[in-house]
Amino acid sequence: MKALTSITTMQELADAAGVSLATVSRVFSGSNKVSEKTKEKVMELVKQSGFCPNETARTMAAGKSRLIAVILPDIENPFFSKLLSEVEEKCVESGYSMIFFNSKGDSEKEKDIVTKMMARQADGMLICMTKVKSEMIPVLKTAKFPVVVMARNIEGLNSVGIDHLEGGSLAADYFLSNHCERFFYFGLKEDEKFQGFKKRLLEKGVNEQDIQVFGDKDWYYSDLEEASKVMDDFMQTKLTAKKTGLFCVNDLYALQALNATHRKGIKVPEELNIVGFDNINVCTMSYPTLTSVSQPMDKIAAESFDLLIKKTNEQKEGNSVVESIVLRPSLAKRDS
């Protein structure tokens, strides 16, 4: 038998332990199909020889890289950075490596990432998409590894997200309870959160002409300075003597709206109520503090990670089916 210090490959380790290469691979992957006696024998040889397994060899032998790719659209938004932190923690706990990409909503960049991660034999991918009709959907449906969409439910893809329609409904109820008579949404009118918002208001007898959208564009990748000007114009031209409710696509723009009220002398909540979406940590740091539809970021990350691992195992067994997990939103009521 070779001297222990000369062990440089998994095959040499297997020969030294008198077991198969597949058994050594199972030991490193933490499989429960290997006896404790065999595990102890292999790991003692590893300890004595100082052997460090080659990750590429392990990937080929085990059929798993224990590498997860994560694509987020806007890491500068605290919502996405919090999700990333939660996913990273789950990876560390479970013995997975994570590689992160900030796509900035560029679908061509996202397609390129998917191709590269398939070449790297990543076990799977977690991705956030800001639009229900994203150009990435057909690409992800044909990916060779499992994909889970975080924070939004997309038909035909594994996903974990809150009910955005219900989130919009919560914002509507909040405004109605505060005696608002006119209602505005800042964001895309095709957004599910606006659809839920409008539907609830109409159900409660609000006239449709009193429900309006402004800034009808994809603000996730737009300049905050531009949004600031739009908010200033809104405060100056849209508000009347009637109390108004303003619902924003996310908290960053709701905070911009709060800043605009200070510049234009609008009283919150006396003249205007504002509700954001996501409930990021800075909502408690504004003045007044910001009311927001809350997404449980820790639960979204944990459920997404667990679903992805489940799908990687199912894929190997050839019996994977699409699953969509829908979580309930809540409203974090504060001073706005």
Side-chain angles (χ1 to χ4, degrees):
M1 184 177 72
K2 294 182 180 180
L4 293 180
T5 54
S6 69
I7 294 178
T8 58
T9 68
M10 288 179 66
Q11 184 61 64
E12 290 177 350
L13 180 62
D15 293 342
V19 298
S20 69
L21 179 61
T23 297
V24 170
S25 179
R26 292 190 187 101
V27 170
F28 284 124
S29 66
S31 171
N32 57 10
K33 295 181 180 180
V34 183
S35 69
E36 286 301 318
K37 183 178 180 180
T38 299
K39 287 181 183 179
E40 290 174 5
K41 184 177 182 180
V42 171
M43 294 314 294
E44 180 61 27
L45 286 169
V46 169
K47 182 180 178 181
Q48 292 179 24
S49 65
F51 172 71
C52 183
N54 179 281
E55 290 299 321
T56 301
R58 282 180 58 186
T59 297
M60 294 177 65
K64 294 184 71 175
S65 64
R66 300 192 74 80
L67 173 67
I68 289 175
V70 180
I71 303 179
L72 300 179
D74 182 12
I75 196 60
E76 293 181 6
N77 185 327
F79 172 75
F80 294 116
S81 56
K82 174 63 174 175
L83 269 185
L84 182 64
S85 176
E86 295 287 343
V87 169
E88 181 183 33
E89 187 172 327
K90 288 289 292 183
C91 286
V92 171
E93 289 175 357
S94 305
Y96 280 81
S97 297
M98 181 189 80
I99 184 168
F100 159 67
F101 301 91
N102 186 22
S103 71
K104 296 187 178 180
D106 185 334
S107 59
E108 290 304 315
K109 183 177 180 180
E110 289 171 343
K111 292 174 187 177
D112 184 56
I113 292 167
V114 172
T115 300
K116 288 179 177 177
M117 287 301 97
M118 286 192 289
R120 286 278 299 273
Q121 294 184 292
D123 285 346
M125 176 176 286
L126 297 172
I127 185 171
C128 283
M129 293 183 290
T130 60
K131 292 187 289 186
V132 175
K133 299 178 181 179
S134 170
E135 297 174 11
M136 279 301 295
I137 294 174
V139 178
L140 297 176
K141 286 182 177 180
T142 58
K144 294 180 181 179
F145 47 49
V147 175
V148 173
V149 178
M150 296 191 294
R152 188 177 288 277
N153 296 107
I154 304 292
E155 186 177 352
L157 288 171
N158 297 303
S159 58
V160 179
I162 68 165
D163 186 335
H164 283 232
L165 291 169
E166 185 179 353
S169 179
L170 290 174
D173 285 338
Y174 179 75
F175 290 144
L176 291 169
S177 70
N178 282 278
H179 311 294
C180 294
E181 299 180 74
R182 300 177 73 234
F183 307 88
F184 288 85
Y185 177 72
F186 175 80
L188 284 167
K189 61 184 177 183
E190 66 182 34
D191 198 322
E192 285 182 306
K193 55 178 74 79
F194 171 66
Q195 298 303 320
F197 180 64
K198 181 179 180 179
K199 181 174 182 291
R200 184 64 168 173
L201 292 173
L202 292 175
E203 289 173 350
K204 291 294 184 176
V206 175
N207 291 324
E208 189 165 0
Q209 61 264 31
D210 289 325
I211 308 169
Q212 299 181 40
V213 174
F214 71 104
D216 184 18
K217 61 180 290 185
D218 190 352
W219 286 94
Y220 278 98
Y221 319 110
S222 298
D223 193 332
L224 285 172
E225 185 177 339
E226 180 188 355
S228 179
K229 294 176 182 177
V230 174
M231 290 299 181
D232 280 346
D233 180 70
F234 170 80
M235 301 299 167
Q236 193 166 332
T237 64
K238 299 295 185 182
L239 297 187
T240 65
K242 292 183 177 180
K243 189 173 182 183
T244 299
L246 171 59
F247 181 32
C248 295
V249 61
N250 65 33
D251 291 330
L252 293 183
Y253 296 109
L255 291 169
Q256 287 284 25
L258 269 178
N259 289 336
T261 64
H262 296 311
R263 290 191 294 269
K264 299 300 179 181
I266 306 299
K267 294 180 181 179
V268 177
E270 293 83 0
E271 299 175 79
L272 176 70
N273 282 122
I274 301 174
V275 173
F277 201 95
D278 291 338
N279 194 29
I280 58 178
N281 54 6
V282 294
C283 290
T284 60
M285 303 176 193
S286 63
Y287 179 77
T289 54
L290 180 65
T291 295
S292 180
V293 177
S294 181
Q295 299 204 64
M297 290 169 267
D298 54 347
K299 192 168 185 179
I300 290 172
E303 294 271 8
S304 298
F305 180 86
D306 291 344
L307 181 59
L308 183 63
I309 301 309
K310 176 184 177 182
K311 293 305 167 184
T312 62
N313 293 329
E314 288 180 352
Q315 187 179 60
K316 291 189 69 175
E317 298 167 3
N319 62 352
S320 184
V321 295
V322 172
E323 291 186 47
S324 183
I325 298 173
V326 182
L327 305 175
R328 298 290 300 277
S330 60
L331 187 70
K333 296 180 182 179
R334 299 191 179 93
D335 297 332
S336 69

